[in-house]
Amino acid sequence: EVQLVESGGGLVKPGGSLRLSCAASGFTFSDYSMNWVRQAPGKGLEWVSSITSSSNYIYYADSVKGRFTISRDNAQNSLYLEMNSLRAEDTAVYYCARDRGYCSSISCYGIDFDYWGQGSLVTVSS
Amino acid sequence: QTVVTQEPSLTVSPGGTVTLTCASSTGAVTSGYYPNWFQQKPGQAPKALIYSTSNKHSWTPARFSGSLLGGKAALTLSGVQPEDEADYYCLLYYGDALVFGGGTKLTVL
């Protein structure tokens, strides 16, 4: 059974930092691209960042570029999101999601966010 | 900034049929945008329904179908059930970014 479990959320002051983790099980983690998606309270979904299976290609939404860093440890079956210079507008539930698609140097193909974790709440407030 | 637009809300009667659409501010949606559709119920994580325009996951009920319609991605529910009441989101691929639509709140009444 595929499982994705996020952790590391909590309350942080504006300008602070936080590191989210996503523990994966039930599949060969190193075969899949992974993503972070967030949802502010009462709002819709927002894609945050993607990382390919071997970390060859990494993408960020403009809203987090330069502040957030996605990474993965295939030996530990884990995905991470390092969040710096946090703002009130970063307050959200953060989900990790598996992607069955793949990327080459030219493009990505077959995007399919098939499995999602239950999410981790990040609150940025003084 | 790329915007993906969905109907904010739709209402359908049980047993009826409804089509949700997903439009791109950049022009017509094609299969190269790999449209994905997700269902989200209150307090739950999103659940994948459709990928690459029209492909269903093993858990996707047969009454859900995806297509391209008039330059948009579309999700059609045929024979709507009360448990289909939820928020529905589309996702489109733009090369170095992915963009979710604003979501459609589907009410079954």
Side-chain angles (χ1 to χ4, degrees):
Chain A
E1 180 194 5
V2 172
Q3 283 199 323
L4 298 169
V5 180
E6 301 92 341
S7 61
L11 176 64
V12 61
K13 290 182 168 52
S17 299
L18 209 56
R19 188 195 200 205
L20 300 181
S21 300
C22 171
S25 61
F27 65 102
T28 304
F29 181 71
S30 58
D31 284 348
Y32 292 86
S33 295
M34 296 295 296
N35 300 268
W36 287 101
V37 175
R38 68 184 181 183
Q39 187 170 35
K43 302 297 185 183
L45 301 174
E46 180 187 14
W47 169 76
V48 172
S49 183
S50 298
I51 185 169
T52 53
S53 58
S54 299
S55 305
N56 289 344
Y57 303 103
I58 288 174
Y59 306 96
Y60 296 99
D62 287 345
S63 58
V64 306
K65 205 171 288 183
R67 301 188 298 123
F68 289 12
T69 302
I70 191 172
S71 63
R72 63 190 296 161
D73 184 338
N74 287 343
Q76 297 294 322
N77 294 330
S78 293
L79 174 73
Y80 305 103
L81 186 67
E82 187 76 38
M83 302 183 293
N84 298 318
S85 303
L86 282 162
R87 307 165 180 166
E89 54 264 37
D90 295 318
T91 295
V93 174
Y94 285 73
Y95 297 100
C96 62
R98 190 181 83 165
D99 181 6
R100 292 198 306 149
Y102 66 96
C103 296
S104 70
S105 58
I106 299 170
S107 182
C108 295
Y109 307 89
I111 307 298
D112 176 15
F113 285 29
D114 60 349
Y115 285 95
W116 296 60
Q118 283 303 302
S120 182
L121 177 61
V122 173
T123 303
V124 184
S125 174
S126 55
Chain B
Q1 180 180 348
T2 301
V3 177
V4 176
T5 301
Q6 299 181 241
E7 297 85 2
S9 63
L10 291 170
T11 301
V12 61
S13 300
T17 296
V18 65
T19 296
L20 289 63
T21 66
C22 175
S24 172
S25 62
T26 61
V29 176
T30 65
S31 59
Y33 286 79
Y34 300 107
N36 278 222
W37 289 93
F38 305 92
Q39 178 191 66
Q40 187 180 34
K41 295 183 178 180
Q44 297 183 16
K47 182 178 182 180
L49 292 174
I50 300 287
Y51 65 98
S52 292
T53 304
S54 59
N55 294 283
K56 299 179 188 182
H57 291 282
S58 59
W59 54 79
T60 304
R63 61 185 180 274
F64 290 85
S65 63
S67 64
L68 295 176
L69 202 61
K72 302 178 184 180
L75 176 70
T76 299
L77 288 70
S78 304
V80 171
Q81 301 296 306
E83 60 265 30
D84 297 333
E85 184 162 293
D87 294 327
Y88 291 85
Y89 295 92
C90 64
L91 173 66
L92 300 180
Y93 167 67
Y94 289 90
D96 60 352
L98 292 142
V99 182
F100 282 94
T104 296
K105 183 176 184 61
L106 183 66
T107 301
V108 181
L109 204 57

